[in-house]
Amino acid sequence: MTFVPQINDADVETVARAMGSMPDSASVAEFVPGPGIQRLELKFDIRLLQEALEECLQREDFMGGMQDQGFAALPLTRRPGQSEWTANDLSGRYWLRADERYVEEPREDLVPEVDFSEFNPKFAGTYFEHVHQELAKRFPIGRTRVLSKGLYNCNSWHRDPEPRLHIPVISNPGSLFIVNHHVTHLPADGSVYFTDTRGYHTALNGGETRRVHIVAALAYDQVTE
């Protein structure tokens, strides 16, 4: 197509330069490290992770069922002796700017991560217990949950009191993680990712299959405001 603009200004030049090359459409299906998100050397067996997910779901389904849409959580850790979890236990404190005021506000109550020191006995003997043991040898581990994100779904744009470790169990190329201004895909290959969720972040599933991660909160000193 040949187009001759009536005006030649800086905007025309900017668009013309952009049209001179094609965007990268290959690396978006890979992990690209950046500020606030790094892949660790620790790695688990993805086949055993997926088998453990199925085994755990046979013992107890996700809260509210394994959702095709929205958010679901399966608690892998607990307070000593805990047998029931509140909605706040499964989500916890976060901050966001929810509307056109751009004012940051807290949501829900702060959950002390150090309280969640025991592995949930309902899932004893599964590969997830091994995963928790290996993480706890290296880091102060708090709430550890299996989180499901439904199709074409996105979390709020928010920040948390602590960073998290993510281990993708089921994923797809349209499943992305964004920390501040960096966005990348996290493949489900057994890798462990450090995500500094003290910064603004979100997770989205733009694919046609579910996205399931193990998410372990790091129980260092929590941000309180």
Side-chain angles (χ1 to χ4, degrees):
M1 174 182 177
T2 300
F3 174 77
V4 179
Q6 299 178 34
I7 297 175
N8 282 292
D9 57 14
D11 293 338
V12 173
E13 293 177 5
T14 296
V15 173
R17 284 194 300 271
M19 293 301 297
S21 62
M22 286 292 293
D24 175 14
S25 59
S27 67
V28 293
E30 303 169 357
F31 172 68
V32 179
I37 185 163
Q38 300 292 328
R39 182 163 49 201
L40 305 183
E41 293 186 6
L42 180 63
K43 195 168 186 177
F44 296 100
D45 187 312
I46 186 59
R47 179 184 61 84
L48 295 179
L49 287 170
Q50 292 173 349
E51 289 178 357
L53 174 63
E54 294 307 313
E55 184 176 354
C56 289
L57 291 178
Q58 290 174 8
R59 299 185 188 186
E60 181 174 316
D61 204 356
F62 274 83
M63 173 178 267
M66 188 65 180
Q67 298 177 343
D68 290 328
Q69 301 291 332
F71 170 89
L74 190 70
L76 295 182
T77 55
R78 68 176 191 173
R79 299 180 182 92
Q82 183 174 9
S83 59
E84 295 183 359
W85 283 258
T86 67
N88 192 76
D89 287 339
L90 295 174
S91 56
R93 168 61 55 86
Y94 60 97
W95 293 267
L96 80 168
R97 296 180 176 92
D99 54 39
E100 70 280 355
R101 296 174 300 139
Y102 283 71
V103 175
E104 186 175 76
E105 298 172 322
R107 294 286 190 273
E108 302 196 33
D109 297 324
L110 186 68
V111 177
E113 297 295 343
V114 294
D115 291 353
F116 288 76
S117 57
E118 288 187 352
F119 189 76
N120 190 340
K122 290 182 179 179
F123 309 120
T126 67
Y127 190 64
F128 285 167
E129 184 174 24
H130 167 73
V131 169
H132 181 260
Q133 290 171 347
E134 291 301 311
L135 295 179
K137 291 175 184 177
R138 295 164 171 82
F139 311 105
I141 299 298
R143 285 180 303 158
T144 305
R145 300 162 292 167
V146 179
L147 300 182
S148 168
K149 178 139 293 297
L151 321 184
Y152 309 135
N153 193 270
C154 179
N155 288 347
S156 66
W157 181 240
H158 67 282
R159 64 180 177 94
D160 296 321
E162 66 284 312
R164 312 276 170 85
L165 298 177
H166 277 249
I167 306 173
V169 179
I170 297 175
S171 191
N172 64 74
S175 185
L176 304 173
F177 201 90
I178 303 168
V179 181
N180 283 332
H181 297 289
H182 185 74
V183 55
T184 188
H185 171 60
L186 307 182
D189 59 6
S191 294
V192 181
Y193 299 90
F194 169 80
T195 62
D196 197 345
T197 46
R198 296 172 301 176
Y200 269 83
H201 64 281
T202 188
L204 62 90
N205 182 7
E208 296 182 342
T209 60
R210 65 186 182 180
R211 172 253 201 201
V212 181
H213 284 198
I214 297 173
V215 180
L218 292 171
Y220 296 107
D221 292 339
Q222 292 178 290
V223 176
T224 57
E225 60 181 21

